[in-house]
């Protein structure tokens, strides 16, 4: 039986504003299936986003949703999570949103290892504002603000997340929704800051400028630039050039989680100050 | 404004004068007066000159910074030079003569070697500012000696009450002697 | 017996926040406000509250809003450049109507300016710092006991009217200490946000019933699953570009303040009954201004002081009334002329209005205001 997404969607808000065939839809569907597998009550889930095409997703999700400012969704999500640590907080963001303007918030959330699941839709471009280059636009690719080809170096988002201290990091791609769903589910069940990068097509803004205007063409291109973990292990650096590894890339269940640590701190402080008056 | 009393404690480095200012302000409040403590932050380096201003009044204190200083304490030439400004004519000045040599022609200067007195009396110079506070109270009577004793006993860091009370006494008698010398 | 304290203004701010029910503080260190965060870091864990030092002021403000949406009373404190950084999210809080309190311990500027010295030059920024039309409340106490009560009032107003409330103090008030008795709980009221009594099916996050202006709130995770966005939205909380809906909603947010002036306004009038010269000053400057007024009275010059405590909205009507027929109005402020713009805007055109302005980190001393009064009086 086909999966029924409607219980998780605000059907009255349809049709959505994404271009037909946009990769964001595949990511959102995978995310809904992953949430469904978790068996969570919709009332217990908050979805927070910034600004961009991707960040419009919360508006369509029948949960507690907050559409914030460009790049800064994680800061709001941090406040929500700290006040209600027993609830589930998910952040969804574009590559520009999370790693350009939001880069600082992103690495610090990784460092804190706060129990938030962060899904980054990496379409290698600023979709919403009309195809300007982002921190993940490949060298040489064209963008509205790189008409002669992008000369800027790009981030490897999963390396960035691992380096900054995230404790679950995976990369999926829109050509394989089932696998993506599994990564998101593992991220949701992970107790700590989890990052799931999803390689997605923005054929409208990225594809059109780079001779890949058709969604299927672009998805195929993304797949061609993706290699599985096991394959990657057998490849040399030259062969890996321009390729991204798909899979669960890092998992660490030992590092302390921020809300747990804060809870412990409160207990310790209250124990210590039980009989002591407030400072004068 | 008439009954307003402004005191400035200055030294080089250390938190001692801050504590002295705090205790004086509390003592004034204890006597039903109003008190304000107003630090001015200079581009401070550790070990540089520091100061604390305490304003005491029978009435609600409006302007929270000094206008005309009634009492000035300096425990270092550098602090004297930096902060010995805005003094009221006839301002009572207390200096440690081993550290402040040039009082810029000011009158009404009491020279009490507070550091030496602290060292010989208590063995540790951390109480210097409380010795100076005792001397200040004896010289100005801006609060009663008993009040400052009471406050020192109540608010000095735990475990140091006795030493601080002794420091006050050293200050009281040194100032009394200095006045008698006049 | 009530507790006598000798706290600095920054300590007062933190303790008053806790008394008001603040249980979330998101901060980022900056002189001269840092001690507020330090006290909160020490105290909040004792009260089951949350303290977090974020990676910058934008994040600190974002975290406060997130916390507010999840049900906590939240606060942040900053100065100078930090206040500039918070502006984006102050606008967001206005847009989603999230209650929160922002304390700005003003220092000299622009840019890094004078980190350890006072100024009152963020008055206009408090009003207009974030982009777009928005209504805001800003309070500027002058005494530390008053600061305690105004912090509590800031929380009350933010909860009641669902908006960010700014408390403007300055380096002088932040760092000075003043002995006072901590107000007892029976001396103030605590207001908590009005929660919706509707069912989740009927609930619209920005719907108000007839004659009301403040939509009752639901917090996240209470079964309401609503949406909030920084985009203009209709009563359902979802984006709209419908001009009428956008305007109606924004006008409502202004009206929340405009129609509740009696509750929001606050000022002090000193020796104004027979005054010929009106001095207007706020915050720490008003203390010296009162000294000046008392001083010139001794020489028979009839001067009086008007001290706005709520600075935004500006007390237009009262200033207009008071300025009427005065020999002169003097506006004393630690900036190059901000409140005077408001006074000029609201006073009748035939009144002489002069500024007594000073920047550079040294407060305006009473004698300087005395001289100004003598000049015009
Ligand atoms: C402070 C700020 N700067 C710039 C913008 C304009 N802006 C909106 S979305 C966006 C980039 C969107 O790209 P991305 O985050 O990659 O998301 P996508 O649209 O591709 O999903 C930008 C620059 C903004 N809204 N706010
Ligand atoms: S512009 Fe690109 S990212 Fe945005 S909806 Fe269209 S295809 Fe998707």
């Amino acid at each position: 039986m086909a999966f029924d997404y409607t219980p998780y969607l605000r059907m009255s808000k349809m049709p959505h504003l994404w271009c037909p065939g946009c990769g964001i839809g595949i990511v959102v569907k995978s995310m809904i299936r992953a949430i469904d597998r978790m068996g969570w009550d919709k009332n217990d889930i908050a979805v927070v986003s910034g600004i961009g095409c991707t960040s419009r997703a919360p508006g369509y999700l029948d949960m507690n949703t907050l559409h914030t400012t460009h790049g800064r969704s994680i800061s709001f999500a941090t406040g929500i999570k700290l006040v209600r640590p027993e609830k589930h907080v998910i952040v969804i963001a574009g590559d520009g949103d999370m790693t350009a303007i939001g880069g600082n918030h992103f690495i610090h959330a990784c460092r804190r290892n706060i129990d938030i699941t962060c899904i980054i839709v990496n379409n290698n471009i600023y979709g919403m504002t009309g195809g300007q280059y982002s921190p993940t636009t490949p060298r040489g690719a064209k963008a509205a603000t790189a008409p002669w080809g992008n000369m800027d170096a790009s981030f490897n988002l999963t390396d960035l997340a691992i380096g900054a201290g995230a404790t679950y990091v995976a990369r999926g791609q829109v050509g394989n929704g089932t696998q993506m769903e599994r990564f998101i589910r593992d991220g949701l069940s992970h107790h700590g800051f989890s990052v799931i990068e999803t390689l997605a097509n923005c054929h409208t803004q990225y594809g059109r400028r780079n001779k890949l205007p058709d969604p299927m063409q672009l998805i195929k291109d993304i797949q061609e630039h993706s290699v599985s973990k096991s394959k990657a292990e057998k490849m040399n650096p030259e062969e890996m050039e321009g390729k991204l590894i798909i899979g669960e890339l890092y998992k660490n269940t030992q590092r302390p989680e921020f809300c747990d640590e804060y809870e412990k701190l409160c207990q310790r402080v209250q124990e210590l100050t039980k009989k002591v008056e407030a400072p004068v | 404004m008439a009954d307003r009393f402004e005191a400035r404690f200055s030294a080089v480095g250390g938190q001692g004068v801050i504590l002295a200012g705090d205790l004086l302000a509390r003592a004034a409040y204890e006597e039903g007066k109003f008190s304000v403590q107003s630090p001015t932050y200079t581009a401070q380096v550790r070990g540089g000159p520091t100061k604390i201003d305490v304003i005491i009044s029978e009435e609600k204190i409006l302007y929270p910074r000094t206008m005309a200083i009634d009492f000035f304490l300096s425990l270092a030439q550098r602090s004297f030079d930096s902060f010995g400004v805005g003094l009221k004519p006839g301002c009572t000045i207390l200096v440690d003569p081993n550290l402040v040599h040039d009082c810029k022609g000011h009158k009404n200067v009491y020279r009490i070697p507070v550091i030496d007195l602290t060292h010989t009396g208590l063995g540790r110079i951390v109480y210097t500012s409380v010795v100076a506070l005792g001397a200040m109270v004896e010289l100005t009577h801006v609060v009663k000696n008993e009040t400052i004793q009471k406050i020192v006993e109540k608010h000095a860091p735990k475990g140091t009450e006795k030493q601080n009370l002794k420091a006050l006494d050293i200050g009281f008698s040194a100032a009394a002697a200095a006045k008698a010398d006049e | 017996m009530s507790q006598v304290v000798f706290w600095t203004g920054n300590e007062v701010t933190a303790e008053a926040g806790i008394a008001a029910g603040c249980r979330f503080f998101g901060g980022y260190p900056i002189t001269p406000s840092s001690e507020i965060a330090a006290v909160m870091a020490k105290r909040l864990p004792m009260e089951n509250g949350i303290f977090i030092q974020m990676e910058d002021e934008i994040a600190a403000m974002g975290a406060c809003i997130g916390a507010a949406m999840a049900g906590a009373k939240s606060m942040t404190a900053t100065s100078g450049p930090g206040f500039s950084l918070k502006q984006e999210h102050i606008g967001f809080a206005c847009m989603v109507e999230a209650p929160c309190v922002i304390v700005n311990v003003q220092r000299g500027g622009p840019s890094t300016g004078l980190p350890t010295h006072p100024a009152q030059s963020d008055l206009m920024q408090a009003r207009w710092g974030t982009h777009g039309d928005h209504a805001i409340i800003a309070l500027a106490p002058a005494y530390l006991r008053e600061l305690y009560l105004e912090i509590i009032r800031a929380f009350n107003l933010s909860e009641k009217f669902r908006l960010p409330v700014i408390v403007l103090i300055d380096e002088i008030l932040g760092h000075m200490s003043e002995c006072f008795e901590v107000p007892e709980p029976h001396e103030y009221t605590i207001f908590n946000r009005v929660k919706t009594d509707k069912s989740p099916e009927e609930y619209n996050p920005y719907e108000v019933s007839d004659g009301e202006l403040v939509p009752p709130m639901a917090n996240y995770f209470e079964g309401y699953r609503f949406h909030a966005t920084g985009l203009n939205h209709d009563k359902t909380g979802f984006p709209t570009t419908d001009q009428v809906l956008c305007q109606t909603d924004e006008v409502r947010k202004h009206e929340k303040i405009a129609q509740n002036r009696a509750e929001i306004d606050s000022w002090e009038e000193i020796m104004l009954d027979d005054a010929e010269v009106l001095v207007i000053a706020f915050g720490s400057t008003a203390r010296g201004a009162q000294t000046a007024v008392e001083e010139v009275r001794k020489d028979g010059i009839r001067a009086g002081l008007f001290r706005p405590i709520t600075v935004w909205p500006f007390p237009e009507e009262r200033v207009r009334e008071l300025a009427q027929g005065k020999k002169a109005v003097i506006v004393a402020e630690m900036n190059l002329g901000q409140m005077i713009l408001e006074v000029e805007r609201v006073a009748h055109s035939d009144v002489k209005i002069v500024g007594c302005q000073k920047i550079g980190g040294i407060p305006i001393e009473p004698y300087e205001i005395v001289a100004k009064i003598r000049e015009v009086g």
Side-chain angles (χ1 to χ4, degrees):
Chain A
M1 207 180 78
F3 185 88
D4 181 12
Y5 294 95
T6 54
Y8 293 95
L9 292 172
R10 291 171 171 145
M11 294 309 290
S12 62
K13 301 299 156 195
M14 298 296 165
H16 59 68
L17 55 56
W18 297 309
C19 305
C22 171
I24 296 169
I26 302 174
V27 179
V28 171
K29 282 164 108 178
S30 305
M31 172 182 145
I32 291 176
R33 292 195 308 274
I35 289 172
D36 186 71
R37 292 280 151 77
M38 295 302 294
W40 289 344
D41 185 336
K42 294 187 289 181
N43 288 315
D44 295 338
I45 306 169
V47 187
V48 187
S49 69
I51 298 291
C53 292
T54 306
S55 286
R56 286 304 192 97
Y60 306 116
L61 297 169
D62 185 19
M63 299 165 195
N64 302 283
T65 54
L66 187 61
H67 177 221
T68 71
T69 55
H70 191 32
R72 326 233 179 252
S73 49
I74 283 186
S75 67
F76 294 82
T78 301
I80 295 173
K81 180 71 185 179
L82 279 167
V83 173
R84 300 300 299 272
E86 75 284 13
K87 304 292 182 189
H88 316 296
V89 181
I90 302 169
V91 165
I92 183 162
D95 45 300
D97 197 43
M98 189 53 70
T99 67
I101 189 164
N104 198 36
H105 307 307
F106 177 66
I107 57 172
H108 287 280
C110 292
R111 171 179 66 80
R112 278 184 201 114
N113 194 32
I114 185 165
D115 186 18
I116 291 173
T117 304
C118 176
I119 300 168
I120 307 175
V121 177
N122 180 3
N123 53 20
N124 305 108
I125 202 88
Y126 285 6
M128 177 149 274
T129 39
Q132 298 82 5
Y133 69 93
S134 87
T136 60
T137 303
R139 223 186 260 277
K142 288 196 173 135
T145 47
W148 312 108
N150 179 31
M151 47 144 283
D152 217 346
S154 55
F155 267 144
N156 179 319
L157 298 191
T158 53
D159 285 356
L160 180 67
I162 296 165
T167 48
Y168 176 87
V169 180
R171 183 187 285 119
Q173 49 94 6
V174 289
N176 190 345
T178 317
Q179 187 192 42
M180 191 189 289
E181 172 196 324
R182 200 179 72 230
F183 295 151
I184 296 176
R185 183 161 46 102
D186 288 348
L188 293 175
S189 36
H190 177 74
H191 189 60
F193 194 71
S194 51
V195 178
I196 300 96
E197 177 187 359
T198 61
L199 307 180
N201 60 301
C202 168
H203 45 285
T204 311
Q205 297 297 357
Y206 183 80
R208 266 194 310 125
R209 287 188 173 78
N210 291 285
K211 304 206 179 79
L212 298 158
D214 173 71
M216 288 321 292
Q217 247 183 326
L218 183 50
I219 292 174
K220 195 156 162 272
D221 185 73
I222 291 169
Q223 284 178 305
E224 278 164 9
H225 286 89
S226 308
V227 288
S228 70
K229 241 169 94 175
S230 51
K231 247 202 201 140
E233 273 158 21
K234 295 183 201 106
M235 289 164 73
N236 63 37
E238 283 97 89
E239 291 168 320
M240 280 303 292
E241 186 65 37
K243 303 262 193 315
L244 289 171
I245 307 173
I246 301 295
E248 180 189 298
L249 301 174
Y250 185 73
K251 186 167 177 167
N252 179 342
T253 52
Q254 302 305 309
R255 269 193 59 211
E257 190 274 331
F258 190 87
C259 299
D260 291 348
E261 292 304 298
Y262 193 83
E263 175 66 33
K264 282 188 219 156
L265 174 98
C266 284
Q267 280 170 8
R268 188 160 56 82
V269 169
Q270 286 167 18
E271 198 59 40
L272 275 169
T273 54
K274 233 191 239 156
K275 283 176 202 81
V276 183
E277 296 277 284
V280 176
Chain B
M1 232 158 86
D3 73 315
R4 187 179 162 110
F5 184 92
E6 301 183 353
R8 171 168 294 177
F9 298 83
S10 73
V12 168
Q15 290 295 302
V17 289
I18 310 273
L19 174 68
D22 191 288
L23 295 169
L24 178 64
R26 284 180 187 274
Y29 188 85
E30 181 73 23
E31 293 184 356
K33 296 174 182 145
F34 293 85
S35 54
V36 159
Q37 176 179 299
S38 186
T40 323
Y41 286 65
T42 44
Q44 254 176 31
V45 277
R46 265 184 87 83
T50 46
K51 77 159 162 79
I52 184 86
D53 293 332
V54 177
I55 302 161
I56 294 169
S57 174
E58 299 285 344
E59 288 165 21
K60 179 168 166 179
I61 293 167
L62 298 171
Y63 188 66
R65 293 261 166 109
T66 57
M67 293 190 285
I69 295 165
D70 298 275
F71 171 85
F72 176 50
L73 165 76
S74 174
L75 295 179
Q77 188 68 49
R78 264 202 295 158
S79 77
F80 193 103
D81 299 345
S82 309
F83 302 124
V85 290
L87 309 185
K88 199 183 255 182
C91 168
T92 305
I93 298 175
L94 172 59
V95 299
D96 186 322
N98 296 321
L99 297 165
V100 181
H101 307 286
D102 177 8
C103 290
K104 318 258 169 201
H106 278 290
K107 305 260 165 13
N108 211 15
V109 179
Y110 291 89
R111 292 180 173 78
I112 300 176
V114 279
I115 301 218
D116 279 356
L117 288 174
T118 311
H119 195 70
T120 40
L122 291 154
R124 297 185 58 198
I125 59 163
V126 289
Y127 300 104
T128 305
S129 59
V130 179
V131 173
L133 177 65
M136 182 266 181
V137 170
E138 177 62 34
L139 288 175
T140 61
H141 291 303
V142 63
V143 294
K144 293 196 191 76
N145 293 19
E146 302 85 76
T147 318
I148 196 77
Q149 280 171 325
K150 187 171 159 193
I151 292 297
V152 164
E153 201 167 358
K154 197 161 147 203
H155 290 283
K158 291 269 159 306
T160 68
E161 296 88 345
K162 266 207 187 110
Q163 299 291 80
N164 275 302
L165 282 174
K166 190 163 175 210
L168 267 187
D169 275 338
I170 294 173
F172 290 159
S173 34
K179 274 202 289 195
D181 284 351
E182 281 292 286
Chain C
M1 210 190 82
S2 55
Q3 184 191 9
V4 175
V5 293
F6 195 51
W7 289 330
T8 64
N10 285 343
E11 289 167 324
V12 171
T13 301
E15 289 296 340
I18 290 171
C22 173
R23 290 298 176 271
F24 187 96
F25 186 95
Y28 190 80
I30 185 163
T31 306
S33 73
S34 300
E35 298 86 1
I36 300 175
V39 177
M40 283 304 208
K42 183 172 174 187
R43 291 279 286 114
L44 279 172
M46 300 177 191
E47 308 286 340
N48 270 333
I50 296 147
F51 169 85
I52 185 168
Q53 180 170 311
M54 295 297 286
E55 54 275 12
D56 59 32
E57 288 86 348
I58 309 175
M61 189 70 220
C64 284
I65 299 169
M69 304 290 287
K73 286 190 186 177
S74 67
M75 168 157 109
T76 186
T78 192
S79 302
F83 194 53
S84 293
L85 286 185
K86 290 201 191 287
Q87 295 301 330
E88 181 189 15
H89 284 174
I90 291 175
F92 185 85
C94 291
M95 192 51 127
V96 301
E97 298 179 72
C100 51
V101 172
I102 302 109
V103 180
N104 177 359
V105 187
Q106 294 172 92
R107 69 189 222 184
S111 191
T112 310
L114 289 165
T116 53
H117 289 74
Q120 296 180 308
S121 40
D122 304 344
L123 178 70
M124 282 296 171
Q125 191 186 18
R127 176 65 191 88
W128 299 112
T130 195
H131 60 278
D133 285 308
H134 64 284
I136 201 111
I137 296 175
L139 313 177
Y143 299 89
L144 297 194
R145 190 172 191 278
E146 182 176 277
L147 170 61
Y148 192 95
L149 293 168
E150 288 297 296
I151 291 283
I152 293 173
R153 198 164 74 95
F155 274 97
N156 288 347
L157 294 171
S158 80
E159 290 279 316
K160 181 148 197 186
F161 298 113
R162 286 192 64 174
L163 43 67
V165 174
I166 294 167
V167 179
L168 283 179
I169 55 171
D170 62 38
E171 188 275 331
I172 299 178
L173 292 169
H175 283 155
M176 68 177 259
S177 11
E178 195 160 39
C179 272
F180 69 93
E181 278 178 25
V182 178
E184 302 261 13
H186 66 81
E187 294 175 67
Y188 50 81
T189 54
I190 297 287
F191 188 92
N192 296 320
R193 60 189 68 174
V194 173
K195 303 289 288 288
T196 180
D197 53 10
K198 294 219 165 104
S199 69
E201 293 69 36
E202 297 170 304
Y203 179 66
N204 281 313
Y206 299 104
E207 187 174 29
V208 288
S209 40
D210 279 348
E212 294 290 326
L213 291 163
V214 186
M217 276 186 88
N219 298 329
Y220 281 153
F221 310 116
E222 290 177 344
Y224 288 84
R225 298 197 308 277
F226 63 92
H227 185 60
T229 173
L231 287 163
N232 273 106
H233 43 258
D234 59 21
K235 66 179 183 184
T236 66
F238 289 93
T240 178
T241 52
D242 181 295
Q243 182 270 327
V244 175
L245 291 177
C246 291
Q247 180 159 330
T248 309
D249 201 50
E250 286 310 309
V251 168
R252 173 181 62 75
K253 290 179 204 161
H254 276 78
E255 290 301 309
K256 289 197 292 196
I257 293 177
Q259 295 188 24
N260 290 290
R261 292 296 294 266
E263 187 173 347
I264 297 167
D265 284 350
S266 173
W267 60 73
E268 191 186 12
E269 297 186 4
I270 289 159
M271 291 183 269
L272 281 175
D273 289 346
D274 62 343
E276 292 174 344
V277 177
L278 168 64
V279 180
I280 299 178
F282 68 101
S284 68
T285 302
R287 301 174 64 137
Q290 186 174 338
T291 305
V293 164
E294 289 176 4
E295 199 58 25
V296 297
R297 283 256 166 194
K298 290 178 194 157
D299 303 341
I301 299 177
R302 285 190 284 172
L305 174 70
F306 180 75
R307 176 170 76 89
I309 298 170
T310 299
V311 288
W312 299 115
F314 189 70
E316 289 109 351
E317 271 178 40
R318 191 61 188 141
V319 169
R320 185 177 299 125
E321 281 164 19
L322 289 171
Q324 173 109 47
K326 292 286 184 293
K327 247 192 202 168
V329 179
I330 296 169
V331 185
E333 49 189 334
M334 270 192 281
N335 57 50
L336 292 180
Q338 299 192 14
M339 188 169 272
I340 197 171
L341 298 174
E342 285 297 295
V343 177
E344 285 167 352
R345 179 173 72 81
V346 304
H348 293 277
S349 56
D350 52 351
V351 184
K352 180 173 166 189
I353 299 165
V354 292
C356 180
Q357 296 152 1
K358 187 169 172 186
I359 58 166
I362 306 291
I364 306 178
E365 293 173 58
Y367 76 86
E368 295 174 284
I369 303 172
V370 166
K372 260 287 183 286
I373 301 173
R374 293 224 162 93
E375 217 175 281
V376 298

